[in-house]
Amino acid sequence: MKYEQITNQLFIKNRKKFMAMMKPQSIAVFNSNDIYPISADSTMPFQQHRDIFYLSGVDQEESILLLFPNATNVKYREVLFVRETNDHIAIWEGEKLTKERATDVSGVSTVHWLSDFEKIFFDLMTEVETVYFNTNEHYRQAVETQTREDRFIARCKSKFPAHQSAKSNPILQKIRGVKEPEELELLQKACDITEKGFRRILSFTKPGVWEYELEAEYLHEFIRRRSKGFAYTPIIASGNNANVLHYIENNNLCDDGDLILMDVGAEYANYSSDMTRTIPVNGKFSPRQKEVYEAVFRVKNAATKLLVPGTLWAEYHKEVGHIMTSELLGLGLLDKADIQNENKDWPAYKKYFMHGTSHHIGLDTHDYGELKTPMKANMVFTVEPGIYIPDEKLGIRLEDDVVIQEKGEPFNLMRNIPIAADEIEELMSAGK
C-alpha cells in the first residue's frame, strides 16, 4: 500500500472492544470485499471492506477474520485467513501477505491460508451457539450487488441451520463511531493532504479553467502525498452547477464572475477527509457573493460549537435550522410570513438549505456511528451548511471535519485549510 504501516496496537484494541460485547459461546466472521468486474478482463481497483480493515488492518482481497473469545483452544480465539501466496503470484500480481507479515500487520497470532478455512470453521462451530453476521445496516446504504459477506451468510445458514445468529453491525456502530488516538492521527493526515490540494488549486484557478482541470490538480497533489486519491467522487461545481447537490460531471468551463463549490477530500490509509470550499473564479468575491458566503461561514461556526458530548443529532439539526433561518432573513431570502406559514415537516429554510449539516466521518466518508444516542468525545463529524440560490446562479457550502472533545468546542482537523473570504482572496491574488 502507499501509506505507512499502521501500528497493530490499533487493531488489537479494536478487536478487544468488539469481543467484549459478544454473547457467550459466539463467533464473529468478517470477510474482505470482492474485486468487482467491469467487463472483459477489467476490474475496479480493490477497496477493502472497512470492517475487516478496522479489526485487522489487512488490506487485501480473499481474507477472513474470525473472533471467538470462548474458544477452548486459546490460539483460535482470533484467527486470520489470507490467500496463499507464492513466487508466481508475486511476479504477476505483486507482494501478498505471508503468514508472518499478516501477524505483523494485524497482531493476530494465528494465521492460516484461506484454503484451510472450511475445515477449521467447521471444527470451531461445534463449540459455537451464535454466529455474528456482518450485514450492512448503515442508514444510507442502498446496495444491490451481492457481496462476499452475503454469500458467506447464505452458505453458513445452509450448513449450520441449528445455530443462532446475531448482528455485528450494532456493535460496530458503537465502537467505530468513537475514534482511537491512532485513528485521529490518520484522519489528520488525510485532512493535511487535502489542505495541500486546496492550496495548490488556489494559485491555479482563473477564468477559463475547466472543472476537470481542478479535479486533476487535486488528484496530482493527493497521490504524490501517499493517498490513493479521492475519498469519494469529487464535486467541482462552478456557477449554477453548485446548486446540484451531487454534481459530479466536472466538465464545465469556469467563467469570470462565478464561484466554484468544491466538495473534495483525500483518503489516507482508507480513512476519509471531507472538505468543501467555495472560491471565486477570478479571485475576488462580489459584494453579494461575500454577503452570502459570510452568512454560511457564521452558520458553520455556530453549528460547530453545538457539537459537544450529550448533544442529540436530531436536536442539533433543528437548532442549526433555527440559526440558518435567522441568516436567511438577514439576506432577504425569507421574510416573517415565510416563517409563520412554514410546514413544520419542511421548514422554510429548507428552500435554500435542503441537506443535513453533519455526519460521522472515519473509515467511510459517511461513517459508522450512533445517531440516536447522545454524542460522545472523540466522535468525528463534518460540519457543512450551505445556501443555494439558483435564481442568482449562486451556491455556497463550507465544510470542515471536527473531533468532539470532553470539554469545550470541537477540535478542527481542517483548521489549517484557508476558509475566511479575505484569506482566500489574498492567497488567490498572491498566486497570480
PDB file of all heavy atoms in Angstrom, residues 288 320-343 346-353 386-389 392:
ATOM      1  N   ARG A 288     -22.364  40.685  -3.174  1.00  0.00           N
ATOM      2  CA  ARG A 288     -23.441  39.743  -2.863  1.00  0.00           C
ATOM      3  C   ARG A 288     -22.874  38.360  -2.537  1.00  0.00           C
ATOM      4  O   ARG A 288     -23.312  37.698  -1.598  1.00  0.00           O
ATOM      5  CB  ARG A 288     -24.426  39.651  -4.031  1.00  0.00           C
ATOM      6  CG  ARG A 288     -25.560  38.642  -3.844  1.00  0.00           C
ATOM      7  CD  ARG A 288     -26.409  38.917  -2.616  1.00  0.00           C
ATOM      8  NE  ARG A 288     -27.633  38.094  -2.594  1.00  0.00           N
ATOM      9  CZ  ARG A 288     -28.474  38.041  -1.583  1.00  0.00           C
ATOM     10  NH1 ARG A 288     -28.239  38.752  -0.476  1.00  0.00           N
ATOM     11  NH2 ARG A 288     -29.560  37.286  -1.667  1.00  0.00           N
ATOM     12  N   VAL A 320     -29.547  24.007  14.239  1.00  0.00           N
ATOM     13  CA  VAL A 320     -28.864  24.596  13.082  1.00  0.00           C
ATOM     14  C   VAL A 320     -29.884  25.216  12.134  1.00  0.00           C
ATOM     15  O   VAL A 320     -29.642  26.280  11.541  1.00  0.00           O
ATOM     16  CB  VAL A 320     -28.003  23.548  12.351  1.00  0.00           C
ATOM     17  CG1 VAL A 320     -27.415  24.134  11.066  1.00  0.00           C
ATOM     18  CG2 VAL A 320     -26.880  23.045  13.257  1.00  0.00           C
ATOM     19  N   GLY A 321     -31.045  24.583  12.000  1.00  0.00           N
ATOM     20  CA  GLY A 321     -32.104  25.151  11.165  1.00  0.00           C
ATOM     21  C   GLY A 321     -32.543  26.510  11.659  1.00  0.00           C
ATOM     22  O   GLY A 321     -32.800  27.422  10.851  1.00  0.00           O
ATOM     23  N   HIS A 322     -32.638  26.694  12.978  1.00  0.00           N
ATOM     24  CA  HIS A 322     -33.004  27.999  13.536  1.00  0.00           C
ATOM     25  C   HIS A 322     -31.927  29.045  13.213  1.00  0.00           C
ATOM     26  O   HIS A 322     -32.242  30.191  12.857  1.00  0.00           O
ATOM     27  CB  HIS A 322     -33.179  27.898  15.056  1.00  0.00           C
ATOM     28  CG  HIS A 322     -34.298  27.012  15.491  1.00  0.00           C
ATOM     29  ND1 HIS A 322     -35.486  26.919  14.810  1.00  0.00           N
ATOM     30  CD2 HIS A 322     -34.408  26.166  16.560  1.00  0.00           C
ATOM     31  CE1 HIS A 322     -36.293  26.071  15.423  1.00  0.00           C
ATOM     32  NE2 HIS A 322     -35.658  25.592  16.480  1.00  0.00           N
ATOM     33  N   ILE A 323     -30.668  28.631  13.328  1.00  0.00           N
ATOM     34  CA  ILE A 323     -29.562  29.556  13.033  1.00  0.00           C
ATOM     35  C   ILE A 323     -29.588  29.950  11.560  1.00  0.00           C
ATOM     36  O   ILE A 323     -29.442  31.127  11.209  1.00  0.00           O
ATOM     37  CB  ILE A 323     -28.215  28.901  13.399  1.00  0.00           C
ATOM     38  CG1 ILE A 323     -28.140  28.631  14.904  1.00  0.00           C
ATOM     39  CG2 ILE A 323     -27.045  29.779  12.957  1.00  0.00           C
ATOM     40  CD1 ILE A 323     -27.012  27.715  15.314  1.00  0.00           C
ATOM     41  N   MET A 324     -29.807  28.972  10.695  1.00  0.00           N
ATOM     42  CA  MET A 324     -29.853  29.264   9.263  1.00  0.00           C
ATOM     43  C   MET A 324     -31.046  30.159   8.923  1.00  0.00           C
ATOM     44  O   MET A 324     -30.937  31.077   8.089  1.00  0.00           O
ATOM     45  CB  MET A 324     -29.935  27.953   8.468  1.00  0.00           C
ATOM     46  CG  MET A 324     -30.046  28.144   6.960  1.00  0.00           C
ATOM     47  SD  MET A 324     -28.630  29.035   6.223  1.00  0.00           S
ATOM     48  CE  MET A 324     -27.430  27.689   6.145  1.00  0.00           C
ATOM     49  N   THR A 325     -32.182  29.924   9.558  1.00  0.00           N
ATOM     50  CA  THR A 325     -33.360  30.759   9.309  1.00  0.00           C
ATOM     51  C   THR A 325     -33.062  32.218   9.582  1.00  0.00           C
ATOM     52  O   THR A 325     -33.443  33.110   8.799  1.00  0.00           O
ATOM     53  CB  THR A 325     -34.536  30.278  10.189  1.00  0.00           C
ATOM     54  OG1 THR A 325     -34.876  28.929   9.830  1.00  0.00           O
ATOM     55  CG2 THR A 325     -35.759  31.161  10.004  1.00  0.00           C
ATOM     56  N   SER A 326     -32.377  32.488  10.684  1.00  0.00           N
ATOM     57  CA  SER A 326     -32.014  33.857  11.033  1.00  0.00           C
ATOM     58  C   SER A 326     -31.139  34.488   9.952  1.00  0.00           C
ATOM     59  O   SER A 326     -31.344  35.650   9.567  1.00  0.00           O
ATOM     60  CB  SER A 326     -31.283  33.868  12.379  1.00  0.00           C
ATOM     61  OG  SER A 326     -30.873  35.175  12.708  1.00  0.00           O
ATOM     62  N   GLU A 327     -30.188  33.721   9.443  1.00  0.00           N
ATOM     63  CA  GLU A 327     -29.302  34.247   8.395  1.00  0.00           C
ATOM     64  C   GLU A 327     -30.056  34.490   7.090  1.00  0.00           C
ATOM     65  O   GLU A 327     -29.814  35.485   6.386  1.00  0.00           O
ATOM     66  CB  GLU A 327     -28.133  33.285   8.157  1.00  0.00           C
ATOM     67  CG  GLU A 327     -27.142  33.194   9.297  1.00  0.00           C
ATOM     68  CD  GLU A 327     -26.332  34.480   9.501  1.00  0.00           C
ATOM     69  OE1 GLU A 327     -26.360  35.361   8.617  1.00  0.00           O
ATOM     70  OE2 GLU A 327     -25.668  34.592  10.549  1.00  0.00           O
ATOM     71  N   LEU A 328     -30.979  33.624   6.742  1.00  0.00           N
ATOM     72  CA  LEU A 328     -31.744  33.800   5.509  1.00  0.00           C
ATOM     73  C   LEU A 328     -32.675  35.006   5.589  1.00  0.00           C
ATOM     74  O   LEU A 328     -32.918  35.689   4.575  1.00  0.00           O
ATOM     75  CB  LEU A 328     -32.538  32.520   5.208  1.00  0.00           C
ATOM     76  CG  LEU A 328     -31.698  31.290   4.846  1.00  0.00           C
ATOM     77  CD1 LEU A 328     -32.579  30.043   4.754  1.00  0.00           C
ATOM     78  CD2 LEU A 328     -30.927  31.502   3.544  1.00  0.00           C
ATOM     79  N   LEU A 329     -33.186  35.268   6.792  1.00  0.00           N
ATOM     80  CA  LEU A 329     -33.959  36.501   6.987  1.00  0.00           C
ATOM     81  C   LEU A 329     -33.075  37.720   6.747  1.00  0.00           C
ATOM     82  O   LEU A 329     -33.485  38.686   6.082  1.00  0.00           O
ATOM     83  CB  LEU A 329     -34.542  36.537   8.397  1.00  0.00           C
ATOM     84  CG  LEU A 329     -35.727  35.609   8.680  1.00  0.00           C
ATOM     85  CD1 LEU A 329     -35.985  35.504  10.184  1.00  0.00           C
ATOM     86  CD2 LEU A 329     -36.980  36.106   7.951  1.00  0.00           C
ATOM     87  N   GLY A 330     -31.858  37.673   7.261  1.00  0.00           N
ATOM     88  CA  GLY A 330     -30.935  38.779   7.096  1.00  0.00           C
ATOM     89  C   GLY A 330     -30.527  39.004   5.648  1.00  0.00           C
ATOM     90  O   GLY A 330     -30.252  40.140   5.244  1.00  0.00           O
ATOM     91  N   LEU A 331     -30.502  37.930   4.863  1.00  0.00           N
ATOM     92  CA  LEU A 331     -30.149  38.040   3.445  1.00  0.00           C
ATOM     93  C   LEU A 331     -31.334  38.434   2.574  1.00  0.00           C
ATOM     94  O   LEU A 331     -31.170  38.655   1.364  1.00  0.00           O
ATOM     95  CB  LEU A 331     -29.584  36.701   2.946  1.00  0.00           C
ATOM     96  CG  LEU A 331     -28.220  36.279   3.497  1.00  0.00           C
ATOM     97  CD1 LEU A 331     -27.920  34.829   3.101  1.00  0.00           C
ATOM     98  CD2 LEU A 331     -27.113  37.212   2.986  1.00  0.00           C
ATOM     99  N   GLY A 332     -32.525  38.515   3.162  1.00  0.00           N
ATOM    100  CA  GLY A 332     -33.711  38.862   2.397  1.00  0.00           C
ATOM    101  C   GLY A 332     -34.268  37.714   1.581  1.00  0.00           C
ATOM    102  O   GLY A 332     -35.135  37.925   0.714  1.00  0.00           O
ATOM    103  N   LEU A 333     -33.817  36.509   1.844  1.00  0.00           N
ATOM    104  CA  LEU A 333     -34.305  35.344   1.114  1.00  0.00           C
ATOM    105  C   LEU A 333     -35.597  34.805   1.720  1.00  0.00           C
ATOM    106  O   LEU A 333     -36.387  34.145   1.046  1.00  0.00           O
ATOM    107  CB  LEU A 333     -33.233  34.256   1.081  1.00  0.00           C
ATOM    108  CG  LEU A 333     -31.979  34.617   0.275  1.00  0.00           C
ATOM    109  CD1 LEU A 333     -30.871  33.595   0.512  1.00  0.00           C
ATOM    110  CD2 LEU A 333     -32.303  34.715  -1.217  1.00  0.00           C
ATOM    111  N   LEU A 334     -35.790  35.050   3.011  1.00  0.00           N
ATOM    112  CA  LEU A 334     -37.035  34.706   3.699  1.00  0.00           C
ATOM    113  C   LEU A 334     -37.586  35.951   4.380  1.00  0.00           C
ATOM    114  O   LEU A 334     -36.825  36.879   4.683  1.00  0.00           O
ATOM    115  CB  LEU A 334     -36.791  33.629   4.762  1.00  0.00           C
ATOM    116  CG  LEU A 334     -36.330  32.237   4.317  1.00  0.00           C
ATOM    117  CD1 LEU A 334     -36.112  31.346   5.542  1.00  0.00           C
ATOM    118  CD2 LEU A 334     -37.330  31.594   3.361  1.00  0.00           C
ATOM    119  N   ASP A 335     -38.901  35.960   4.611  1.00  0.00           N
ATOM    120  CA  ASP A 335     -39.483  37.017   5.437  1.00  0.00           C
ATOM    121  C   ASP A 335     -40.301  36.370   6.555  1.00  0.00           C
ATOM    122  O   ASP A 335     -40.441  35.148   6.606  1.00  0.00           O
ATOM    123  CB  ASP A 335     -40.322  37.996   4.602  1.00  0.00           C
ATOM    124  CG  ASP A 335     -41.450  37.307   3.847  1.00  0.00           C
ATOM    125  OD1 ASP A 335     -41.971  36.284   4.363  1.00  0.00           O
ATOM    126  OD2 ASP A 335     -41.827  37.783   2.763  1.00  0.00           O
ATOM    127  N   LYS A 336     -40.842  37.187   7.438  1.00  0.00           N
ATOM    128  CA  LYS A 336     -41.554  36.654   8.601  1.00  0.00           C
ATOM    129  C   LYS A 336     -42.765  35.826   8.202  1.00  0.00           C
ATOM    130  O   LYS A 336     -43.115  34.847   8.870  1.00  0.00           O
ATOM    131  CB  LYS A 336     -41.963  37.801   9.524  1.00  0.00           C
ATOM    132  CG  LYS A 336     -40.778  38.466  10.217  1.00  0.00           C
ATOM    133  CD  LYS A 336     -41.236  39.565  11.165  1.00  0.00           C
ATOM    134  CE  LYS A 336     -40.036  40.196  11.869  1.00  0.00           C
ATOM    135  NZ  LYS A 336     -40.456  41.278  12.815  1.00  0.00           N
ATOM    136  N   ALA A 337     -43.389  36.214   7.099  1.00  0.00           N
ATOM    137  CA  ALA A 337     -44.564  35.453   6.638  1.00  0.00           C
ATOM    138  C   ALA A 337     -44.163  34.037   6.233  1.00  0.00           C
ATOM    139  O   ALA A 337     -44.910  33.072   6.471  1.00  0.00           O
ATOM    140  CB  ALA A 337     -45.226  36.169   5.469  1.00  0.00           C
ATOM    141  N   ASP A 338     -42.983  33.894   5.617  1.00  0.00           N
ATOM    142  CA  ASP A 338     -42.497  32.568   5.245  1.00  0.00           C
ATOM    143  C   ASP A 338     -42.364  31.679   6.479  1.00  0.00           C
ATOM    144  O   ASP A 338     -42.682  30.487   6.446  1.00  0.00           O
ATOM    145  CB  ASP A 338     -41.135  32.668   4.548  1.00  0.00           C
ATOM    146  CG  ASP A 338     -41.211  33.351   3.198  1.00  0.00           C
ATOM    147  OD1 ASP A 338     -42.202  33.121   2.479  1.00  0.00           O
ATOM    148  OD2 ASP A 338     -40.289  34.112   2.864  1.00  0.00           O
ATOM    149  N   ILE A 339     -41.887  32.274   7.568  1.00  0.00           N
ATOM    150  CA  ILE A 339     -41.682  31.522   8.796  1.00  0.00           C
ATOM    151  C   ILE A 339     -43.029  31.159   9.435  1.00  0.00           C
ATOM    152  O   ILE A 339     -43.241  30.020   9.880  1.00  0.00           O
ATOM    153  CB  ILE A 339     -40.821  32.314   9.801  1.00  0.00           C
ATOM    154  CG1 ILE A 339     -39.563  32.864   9.117  1.00  0.00           C
ATOM    155  CG2 ILE A 339     -40.464  31.451  11.001  1.00  0.00           C
ATOM    156  CD1 ILE A 339     -38.704  31.832   8.455  1.00  0.00           C
ATOM    157  N   GLN A 340     -43.931  32.116   9.460  1.00  0.00           N
ATOM    158  CA  GLN A 340     -45.231  31.893  10.094  1.00  0.00           C
ATOM    159  C   GLN A 340     -46.041  30.826   9.367  1.00  0.00           C
ATOM    160  O   GLN A 340     -46.790  30.072   9.979  1.00  0.00           O
ATOM    161  CB  GLN A 340     -46.014  33.201  10.139  1.00  0.00           C
ATOM    162  CG  GLN A 340     -45.423  34.230  11.112  1.00  0.00           C
ATOM    163  CD  GLN A 340     -46.048  35.611  10.941  1.00  0.00           C
ATOM    164  OE1 GLN A 340     -46.805  35.858   9.998  1.00  0.00           O
ATOM    165  NE2 GLN A 340     -45.720  36.525  11.857  1.00  0.00           N
ATOM    166  N   ASN A 341     -45.869  30.754   8.045  1.00  0.00           N
ATOM    167  CA  ASN A 341     -46.675  29.841   7.235  1.00  0.00           C
ATOM    168  C   ASN A 341     -45.947  28.539   6.888  1.00  0.00           C
ATOM    169  O   ASN A 341     -46.449  27.746   6.088  1.00  0.00           O
ATOM    170  CB  ASN A 341     -47.104  30.536   5.936  1.00  0.00           C
ATOM    171  CG  ASN A 341     -47.964  31.759   6.200  1.00  0.00           C
ATOM    172  OD1 ASN A 341     -48.766  31.768   7.142  1.00  0.00           O
ATOM    173  ND2 ASN A 341     -47.791  32.796   5.400  1.00  0.00           N
ATOM    174  N   GLU A 342     -44.784  28.307   7.473  1.00  0.00           N
ATOM    175  CA  GLU A 342     -43.973  27.165   7.065  1.00  0.00           C
ATOM    176  C   GLU A 342     -44.589  25.826   7.489  1.00  0.00           C
ATOM    177  O   GLU A 342     -45.314  25.739   8.480  1.00  0.00           O
ATOM    178  CB  GLU A 342     -42.555  27.282   7.642  1.00  0.00           C
ATOM    179  CG  GLU A 342     -42.445  27.070   9.128  1.00  0.00           C
ATOM    180  CD  GLU A 342     -41.019  27.198   9.648  1.00  0.00           C
ATOM    181  OE1 GLU A 342     -40.124  27.544   8.856  1.00  0.00           O
ATOM    182  OE2 GLU A 342     -40.800  26.954  10.848  1.00  0.00           O
ATOM    183  N   ASN A 343     -44.276  24.817   6.720  1.00  0.00           N
ATOM    184  CA  ASN A 343     -44.625  23.435   7.045  1.00  0.00           C
ATOM    185  C   ASN A 343     -43.576  22.927   8.033  1.00  0.00           C
ATOM    186  O   ASN A 343     -42.393  22.883   7.717  1.00  0.00           O
ATOM    187  CB  ASN A 343     -44.616  22.594   5.762  1.00  0.00           C
ATOM    188  CG  ASN A 343     -44.938  21.132   6.013  1.00  0.00           C
ATOM    189  OD1 ASN A 343     -44.949  20.669   7.149  1.00  0.00           O
ATOM    190  ND2 ASN A 343     -45.183  20.403   4.929  1.00  0.00           N
ATOM    191  N   TRP A 346     -41.159  20.491   6.779  1.00  0.00           N
ATOM    192  CA  TRP A 346     -40.210  21.002   5.778  1.00  0.00           C
ATOM    193  C   TRP A 346     -40.116  22.514   5.987  1.00  0.00           C
ATOM    194  O   TRP A 346     -40.721  23.304   5.271  1.00  0.00           O
ATOM    195  CB  TRP A 346     -40.660  20.664   4.366  1.00  0.00           C
ATOM    196  CG  TRP A 346     -39.599  20.947   3.328  1.00  0.00           C
ATOM    197  CD1 TRP A 346     -39.553  21.999   2.459  1.00  0.00           C
ATOM    198  CD2 TRP A 346     -38.430  20.176   3.063  1.00  0.00           C
ATOM    199  NE1 TRP A 346     -38.429  21.942   1.670  1.00  0.00           N
ATOM    200  CE2 TRP A 346     -37.715  20.826   2.016  1.00  0.00           C
ATOM    201  CE3 TRP A 346     -37.895  19.000   3.606  1.00  0.00           C
ATOM    202  CZ2 TRP A 346     -36.512  20.323   1.505  1.00  0.00           C
ATOM    203  CZ3 TRP A 346     -36.692  18.509   3.089  1.00  0.00           C
ATOM    204  CH2 TRP A 346     -36.018  19.168   2.061  1.00  0.00           C
ATOM    205  N   PRO A 347     -39.337  22.938   7.010  1.00  0.00           N
ATOM    206  CA  PRO A 347     -39.272  24.356   7.377  1.00  0.00           C
ATOM    207  C   PRO A 347     -38.858  25.243   6.210  1.00  0.00           C
ATOM    208  O   PRO A 347     -38.244  24.781   5.234  1.00  0.00           O
ATOM    209  CB  PRO A 347     -38.217  24.374   8.486  1.00  0.00           C
ATOM    210  CG  PRO A 347     -38.204  22.989   9.025  1.00  0.00           C
ATOM    211  CD  PRO A 347     -38.497  22.100   7.864  1.00  0.00           C
ATOM    212  N   ALA A 348     -39.176  26.524   6.333  1.00  0.00           N
ATOM    213  CA  ALA A 348     -38.933  27.475   5.245  1.00  0.00           C
ATOM    214  C   ALA A 348     -37.473  27.513   4.816  1.00  0.00           C
ATOM    215  O   ALA A 348     -37.162  27.671   3.627  1.00  0.00           O
ATOM    216  CB  ALA A 348     -39.404  28.866   5.675  1.00  0.00           C
ATOM    217  N   TYR A 349     -36.556  27.362   5.771  1.00  0.00           N
ATOM    218  CA  TYR A 349     -35.126  27.467   5.428  1.00  0.00           C
ATOM    219  C   TYR A 349     -34.690  26.378   4.454  1.00  0.00           C
ATOM    220  O   TYR A 349     -33.687  26.526   3.740  1.00  0.00           O
ATOM    221  CB  TYR A 349     -34.258  27.432   6.686  1.00  0.00           C
ATOM    222  CG  TYR A 349     -34.058  26.079   7.311  1.00  0.00           C
ATOM    223  CD1 TYR A 349     -33.060  25.221   6.851  1.00  0.00           C
ATOM    224  CD2 TYR A 349     -34.858  25.644   8.374  1.00  0.00           C
ATOM    225  CE1 TYR A 349     -32.867  23.974   7.417  1.00  0.00           C
ATOM    226  CE2 TYR A 349     -34.679  24.396   8.948  1.00  0.00           C
ATOM    227  CZ  TYR A 349     -33.684  23.560   8.470  1.00  0.00           C
ATOM    228  OH  TYR A 349     -33.497  22.334   9.022  1.00  0.00           O
ATOM    229  N   LYS A 350     -35.464  25.261   4.407  1.00  0.00           N
ATOM    230  CA  LYS A 350     -35.088  24.145   3.542  1.00  0.00           C
ATOM    231  C   LYS A 350     -35.127  24.507   2.053  1.00  0.00           C
ATOM    232  O   LYS A 350     -34.553  23.791   1.223  1.00  0.00           O
ATOM    233  CB  LYS A 350     -36.022  22.948   3.800  1.00  0.00           C
ATOM    234  CG  LYS A 350     -35.824  22.251   5.132  1.00  0.00           C
ATOM    235  CD  LYS A 350     -34.591  21.373   5.110  1.00  0.00           C
ATOM    236  CE  LYS A 350     -34.491  20.487   6.342  1.00  0.00           C
ATOM    237  NZ  LYS A 350     -33.285  19.627   6.301  1.00  0.00           N
ATOM    238  N   LYS A 351     -35.787  25.601   1.718  1.00  0.00           N
ATOM    239  CA  LYS A 351     -35.795  26.032   0.315  1.00  0.00           C
ATOM    240  C   LYS A 351     -34.384  26.369  -0.142  1.00  0.00           C
ATOM    241  O   LYS A 351     -34.041  26.188  -1.329  1.00  0.00           O
ATOM    242  CB  LYS A 351     -36.716  27.244   0.140  1.00  0.00           C
ATOM    243  CG  LYS A 351     -36.764  27.789  -1.286  1.00  0.00           C
ATOM    244  CD  LYS A 351     -37.719  28.979  -1.418  1.00  0.00           C
ATOM    245  CE  LYS A 351     -37.737  29.514  -2.846  1.00  0.00           C
ATOM    246  NZ  LYS A 351     -38.654  30.684  -2.990  1.00  0.00           N
ATOM    247  N   TYR A 352     -33.555  26.852   0.770  1.00  0.00           N
ATOM    248  CA  TYR A 352     -32.200  27.284   0.419  1.00  0.00           C
ATOM    249  C   TYR A 352     -31.110  26.417   1.052  1.00  0.00           C
ATOM    250  O   TYR A 352     -29.939  26.531   0.695  1.00  0.00           O
ATOM    251  CB  TYR A 352     -32.003  28.742   0.845  1.00  0.00           C
ATOM    252  CG  TYR A 352     -32.974  29.683   0.183  1.00  0.00           C
ATOM    253  CD1 TYR A 352     -34.114  30.133   0.854  1.00  0.00           C
ATOM    254  CD2 TYR A 352     -32.786  30.098  -1.135  1.00  0.00           C
ATOM    255  CE1 TYR A 352     -35.019  30.983   0.236  1.00  0.00           C
ATOM    256  CE2 TYR A 352     -33.679  30.950  -1.768  1.00  0.00           C
ATOM    257  CZ  TYR A 352     -34.801  31.387  -1.077  1.00  0.00           C
ATOM    258  OH  TYR A 352     -35.703  32.232  -1.694  1.00  0.00           O
ATOM    259  N   PHE A 353     -31.481  25.562   1.997  1.00  0.00           N
ATOM    260  CA  PHE A 353     -30.522  24.674   2.665  1.00  0.00           C
ATOM    261  C   PHE A 353     -31.246  23.366   2.933  1.00  0.00           C
ATOM    262  O   PHE A 353     -31.855  23.169   3.968  1.00  0.00           O
ATOM    263  CB  PHE A 353     -30.034  25.331   3.963  1.00  0.00           C
ATOM    264  CG  PHE A 353     -29.160  24.460   4.824  1.00  0.00           C
ATOM    265  CD1 PHE A 353     -28.198  23.623   4.261  1.00  0.00           C
ATOM    266  CD2 PHE A 353     -29.298  24.464   6.207  1.00  0.00           C
ATOM    267  CE1 PHE A 353     -27.388  22.820   5.063  1.00  0.00           C
ATOM    268  CE2 PHE A 353     -28.496  23.671   7.022  1.00  0.00           C
ATOM    269  CZ  PHE A 353     -27.539  22.851   6.446  1.00  0.00           C
ATOM    270  N   GLY A 386     -24.902  25.082   3.906  1.00  0.00           N
ATOM    271  CA  GLY A 386     -24.817  25.720   2.595  1.00  0.00           C
ATOM    272  C   GLY A 386     -26.047  26.560   2.319  1.00  0.00           C
ATOM    273  O   GLY A 386     -27.094  26.374   2.950  1.00  0.00           O
ATOM    274  N   ILE A 387     -25.904  27.480   1.410  1.00  0.00           N
ATOM    275  CA  ILE A 387     -27.041  28.275   0.913  1.00  0.00           C
ATOM    276  C   ILE A 387     -27.005  28.199  -0.609  1.00  0.00           C
ATOM    277  O   ILE A 387     -25.966  28.474  -1.228  1.00  0.00           O
ATOM    278  CB  ILE A 387     -26.981  29.736   1.390  1.00  0.00           C
ATOM    279  CG1 ILE A 387     -27.150  29.810   2.918  1.00  0.00           C
ATOM    280  CG2 ILE A 387     -28.057  30.578   0.692  1.00  0.00           C
ATOM    281  CD1 ILE A 387     -27.016  31.212   3.490  1.00  0.00           C
ATOM    282  N   TYR A 388     -28.154  27.830  -1.202  1.00  0.00           N
ATOM    283  CA  TYR A 388     -28.235  27.579  -2.640  1.00  0.00           C
ATOM    284  C   TYR A 388     -29.334  28.455  -3.237  1.00  0.00           C
ATOM    285  O   TYR A 388     -30.494  28.343  -2.845  1.00  0.00           O
ATOM    286  CB  TYR A 388     -28.511  26.097  -2.896  1.00  0.00           C
ATOM    287  CG  TYR A 388     -27.544  25.208  -2.147  1.00  0.00           C
ATOM    288  CD1 TYR A 388     -27.862  24.727  -0.868  1.00  0.00           C
ATOM    289  CD2 TYR A 388     -26.298  24.898  -2.676  1.00  0.00           C
ATOM    290  CE1 TYR A 388     -26.969  23.947  -0.153  1.00  0.00           C
ATOM    291  CE2 TYR A 388     -25.390  24.120  -1.967  1.00  0.00           C
ATOM    292  CZ  TYR A 388     -25.725  23.650  -0.702  1.00  0.00           C
ATOM    293  OH  TYR A 388     -24.828  22.889   0.010  1.00  0.00           O
ATOM    294  N   ILE A 389     -28.941  29.319  -4.175  1.00  0.00           N
ATOM    295  CA  ILE A 389     -29.876  30.292  -4.759  1.00  0.00           C
ATOM    296  C   ILE A 389     -29.793  30.187  -6.283  1.00  0.00           C
ATOM    297  O   ILE A 389     -29.059  30.944  -6.938  1.00  0.00           O
ATOM    298  CB  ILE A 389     -29.543  31.740  -4.314  1.00  0.00           C
ATOM    299  CG1 ILE A 389     -29.164  31.781  -2.824  1.00  0.00           C
ATOM    300  CG2 ILE A 389     -30.710  32.674  -4.591  1.00  0.00           C
ATOM    301  CD1 ILE A 389     -28.630  33.130  -2.363  1.00  0.00           C
ATOM    302  N   GLU A 392     -29.954  33.255  -8.536  1.00  0.00           N
ATOM    303  CA  GLU A 392     -28.781  34.135  -8.570  1.00  0.00           C
ATOM    304  C   GLU A 392     -27.537  33.409  -9.081  1.00  0.00           C
ATOM    305  O   GLU A 392     -26.427  33.959  -9.034  1.00  0.00           O
ATOM    306  CB  GLU A 392     -28.518  34.702  -7.170  1.00  0.00           C
ATOM    307  CG  GLU A 392     -29.663  35.546  -6.619  1.00  0.00           C
ATOM    308  CD  GLU A 392     -29.338  36.143  -5.262  1.00  0.00           C
ATOM    309  OE1 GLU A 392     -28.152  36.474  -5.014  1.00  0.00           O
ATOM    310  OE2 GLU A 392     -30.269  36.281  -4.445  1.00  0.00           O
TER     311      GLU A 392
END
